[in-house]
């Protein structure tokens, strides 16, 4: 099949709303996906990501707003007339057809037959590394092989857009990793625009050129994967990507794009993107903090009290408290004995450890149990 990047299609979503009665499954989403991009819609169950995918694929119509392919409005164009192929979680292989018949089904409907059809099917099998599987019974294939057949069936149509709707759910972890690598390889080989819907953060981070985190039908942030950690848009995004320490500051003073924040009487330097949030929290990146031996004061360090330590196999999670009982967790090596509850310790904050972020998406009690 070779390079087909010339068929890659740019997608524009213009103020998309999809309502089911009073519920807005998609709530005024505007988004541009570049031609040939690997873009991921990431979010927990019920956030609207699959609803959005169905609107792009033409399986559903928006209540209002427009879906554009290369600037052309897709209103009224049904799924089977769009340059889109979809791989669903259920795969939907035909049990009464062998591998080649499954893969060639769409091409056959287009009127392709004989050696031309065979060549296309063999090319698609080669692409997903299943050469020689043409005559196999799909019911006797492993989960990973069935997944590849579903991918080959979509890719053989040389779509400008490939939609992947939670395609790795139900596979064991080793196979997920393998298929994840496969998606990256196929994206490079085909050059098509890929849109992946997933709740799995590792999948999104390892594959995406850019990704969107969704929540309650809205997009909270669109960015390259690294930016979600360097500059999360708000408290919801920070917690979603695993930045769990969110602290309420007593005061904030700003100069340039750096802030000095005071938490329970201790000063920290924090960074922020864009304007200073009105109702700000301080997010602490767990990978940018470390426990120091001894309690001598040094620059960019704070003194905290050990509350508890939890053994995690390869590490210990040490929970530390400020004087006002707000908490921070530091991960230490399993090789070293963690400090004991009640001890006072110093924590070094490396550059970029503390981020000033908007409070939105935070439960009412910061640091409290939800």
């Amino acid at each position: 099949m070779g390079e087909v990047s010339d068929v890659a299609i740019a997608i524009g979503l213009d103020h998309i709303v999809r309502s089911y009665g009073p519920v807005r499954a998609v709530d005024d989403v505007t988004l541009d996906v570049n031609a040939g991009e690997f873009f991921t819609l990431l979010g927990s169950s019920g956030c609207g990501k699959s609803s959005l995918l169905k609107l792009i694929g033409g399986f559903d119509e928006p209540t209002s707003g427009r879906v554009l392919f290369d600037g052309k409005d897709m209103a009224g164009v049904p799924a089977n007339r769009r340059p889109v192929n979809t791989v669903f979680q259920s795969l939907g292989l035909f049990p009464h057809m062998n591998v080649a018949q499954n893969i060639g089904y769409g091409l056959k409907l287009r009127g392709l037959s004989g050696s031309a059809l065979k060549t296309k099917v063999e090319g698609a099998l080669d692409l997903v590394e299943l050469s020689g599987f043409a005559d196999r019974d799909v019911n006797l294939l492993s989960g990973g092989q069935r997944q590849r057949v579903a991918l080959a069936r979509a890719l053989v149509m040389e779509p400008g857009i490939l939609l992947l709707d939670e395609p790795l759910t139900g596979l064991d972890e080793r196979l997920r990793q393998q298929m994840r690598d496969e998606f990256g390889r196929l994206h490079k080989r085909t050059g098509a625009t890929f849109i992946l819907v997933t709740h799995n953060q590792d999948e999104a981070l390892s594959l995406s050129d850019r990704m969107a985190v969704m929540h309650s039908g809205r997009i909270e942030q669109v960015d390259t994967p690294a930016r979600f950690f360097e500059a999360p848009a708000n408290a919801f995004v920070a917690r979603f990507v695993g930045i769990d320490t969110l602290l309420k500051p007593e005061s904030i003073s700003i100069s340039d794009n750096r802030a000095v924040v005071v938490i329970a009487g201790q000063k920290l330097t924090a960074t922020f993107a864009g304007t200073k949030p009105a109702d700000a929290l301080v997010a602490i990146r767990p990978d940018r903090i470390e426990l120091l031996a001894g309690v001598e004061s040094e620059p960019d360090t704070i003194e905290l009290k050990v509350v508890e330590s939890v053994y995690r196999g390869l590490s210990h999670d040490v929970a530390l408290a400020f004087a006002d009982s707000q908490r921070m967790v530091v991960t230490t090596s399993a090789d070293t004995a963690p400090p004991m509850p009640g001890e006072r310790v110093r924590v070094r904050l490396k550059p970029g450890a503390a981020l000033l972020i908007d409070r939105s998406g935070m439960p009412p009690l910061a640091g409290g149990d939800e």
Side-chain angles (χ1 to χ4, degrees), residues 207-229:
L207 287 167
S208 310
D209 295 317
R210 287 188 307 145
M211 59 190 218
V213 166
M214 289 191 71
H215 175 52
S216 299
R218 289 175 172 266
I219 288 178
E220 296 283 343
Q221 185 170 352
V222 178
D223 241 319
T224 56
R227 291 292 294 165
F228 284 86
F229 298 91

Side-chain angles (χ1 to χ4, degrees), residues 3 29 72 95 104 128-129 157 228 235 247 262 279 282 317 319-321 346:
E3 282 294 311
V29 165
K72 183 170 176 283
V128 298
E129 300 184 346
M157 306 300 286
F228 284 86
L247 306 168
V262 178
D279 187 11
V282 181
D317 282 353
L320 308 168
R346 288 202 83 79

Side-chain angles (χ1 to χ4, degrees), residues 201-264:
Q201 195 179 302
D202 290 345
E203 253 161 62
L205 294 172
S206 60
L207 287 167
S208 310
D209 295 317
R210 287 188 307 145
M211 59 190 218
V213 166
M214 289 191 71
H215 175 52
S216 299
R218 289 175 172 266
I219 288 178
E220 296 283 343
Q221 185 170 352
V222 178
D223 241 319
T224 56
R227 291 292 294 165
F228 284 86
F229 298 91
E230 292 161 6
N234 55 33
F236 176 83
V237 173
R239 299 190 88 170
F240 193 83
V241 299
I243 301 174
D244 291 322
T245 299
L246 301 175
L247 306 168
K248 198 166 175 43
E250 286 166 22
S251 68
I252 303 170
S253 55
I254 302 276
S255 69
D256 297 327
N257 69 334
R258 299 186 80 74
V260 175
V261 298
V262 178
I263 297 167

